[in-house]
Amino acid sequence: MRPTRPWIRRIVIAELALIALVLIVTGWFYWQSRAATTAFNGMLLDPPQDVPVVRLQGSDGQAHALTDFRGKVTVVFFGYTHCPDVCPMTASTVTRARELLGNQADRIQFVFVSVDPERDTPERLASYLAKYDSSYIGLTGDEQAIQELATAFGVHYAKVQSTSALGYLVEHTASTFVLDREGRLRAVLPFGLTPEQMASDLRTLLRS
Amino acid sequence: MVRRVIRSYRTIALWIVATSLLFSVACAGGTTPTPTAASSPTPAAAVQPSPTTVPSPTPTTPPTPTPVPTPTPSAMHGTPTMGHGMGMGMATPPVQNEFREGPFILRNVWARAATQADGLSAVYMVIENTGDQPDRLLHAHCDAAQTVELHETRMEGGVMKMQPVDGIDVPAKGTVELKPGGLHVMLIGLTRDLNPGDTIEVELHFEQAGHVHVEATVVKP
């Protein structure tokens, strides 16, 4: 009986050490996975998705498809100029995020696709976007073409009649989409990111 | 004696096996995508139905607004508080001012810059009711807009919905925040350009307290 005792002790010590090691390793993994989720604020699409080539009227007077902006990281938002709250907020978040990117800002193109082509003329979009940055492009035009593009992005929009003096309102998906430099859908950013969060995501996408 | 030696070898062997096992697990874990890691090829993204480039048979919008690449709930920052405005975009209020009238303290009153051609803007503020009586903001008036309405933006499944509201309740000893993505005073039919730095007169009509006058500072959009 006696000679086995140190063995039991040693095994117990070994087991304890093993448990500690397992705890450390799992803890490290947990921390790692948390670090990874906080690294990107939006949702990355892997592999990136192709988007259809839909030509619309640009606020700069030229026809554009989203694929025209290849070579830049393109930030796409579907909204309308009679939207006084969410759309300007997104536009200003993008603007501040670009400011945070400093000299890399030129590598980011913001495109605002109208979901209210009835009221949003290219001229109206131009003056609406000029408040933020002269490089921003608004797209409007044929209702069916816009619908096709929106569907490809999984964007829902619908006219809603209201008692407001605005007449009808348009409800729409408030997410922001990011196309990579090859013009493919690479990330979806939820509404409400801070400029810092958006800038961090854009920086990641500029690197990849 | 011999037995001891053999057993101590066994312990060492057990250690080696255990550590190598852990290492292999660690290596495997490092290379295989963890479901939560956003930067690795995520199964979550794979499970997500890809945005259909196939034209839908009906051009009309599907009744259920399920944006295909909906951000995961964990990525939806501020979702739980979206009902009454999200604390986002602006960590700090863009304007710091304060107006006191009756039981009310109105703080950080600001409006978004817009041109007369845009025709629209919105006013945001923090309304604090220091009184013992609950009150209700019924409507507002502004010298720079033909029509002023109270609106609320709500998020439903990633879809932004805006609607006029009849009034905004301000509980006794309570605070209501009007902020982007939530409640706001909407200016419709601007009668002049609202340039950053301008101030506009806003009159708020409360059910109990009556008229409360504030000045909103116009902020760069």
Side-chain angles (χ1 to χ4, degrees), chain B residues 17-37:
Chain B
V17 167
T19 40
S20 61
L21 218 131
L22 272 165
F23 260 97
S24 66
V25 165
C27 292
T31 46
T32 43
T34 48
T36 43

Side-chain angles (χ1 to χ4, degrees), chain B residues 91-143:
Chain B
T92 49
V95 168
Q96 296 207 333
N97 52 16
E98 191 176 294
F99 304 89
R100 285 167 185 265
E101 208 160 313
F104 289 107
I105 304 173
L106 301 110
R107 271 193 297 270
N108 312 338
V109 189
W110 65 281
R112 191 179 276 112
T115 62
Q116 192 178 350
D118 289 336
L120 294 166
S121 183
V123 181
Y124 306 92
M125 69 190 82
V126 177
I127 305 173
E128 187 184 339
N129 181 3
T130 60
D132 299 321
Q133 290 277 323
D135 210 335
R136 188 173 164 84
L137 175 61
L138 294 174
H139 46 94
H141 182 263
C142 176
D143 66 337

Side-chain angles (χ1 to χ4, degrees), chain A residues 7 37 85 124 131 154 164-165 172, chain B residues 8 36 67 118 124 149 160 181:
Chain A
W7 285 111
T37 41
D85 193 44
R124 187 174 164 85
K131 293 196 297 282
S164 169
H172 60 90
Chain B
S8 72
T36 43
D118 289 336
Y124 306 92
E149 293 177 3
M160 187 277 290

Side-chain angles (χ1 to χ4, degrees), chain B residues 146-184:
Chain B
Q146 289 166 352
T147 311
V148 181
E149 293 177 3
L150 304 178
H151 280 235
E152 183 176 21
T153 303
R154 285 177 303 120
M155 257 325 147
E156 278 172 27
V159 175
M160 187 277 290
K161 301 186 177 195
M162 197 176 78
Q163 59 179 29
V165 292
D166 293 333
I168 297 170
D169 285 314
V170 190
K173 302 266 182 217
T175 301
V176 170
E177 194 171 357
L178 279 60
K179 60 181 172 183
L183 293 163
H184 51 275

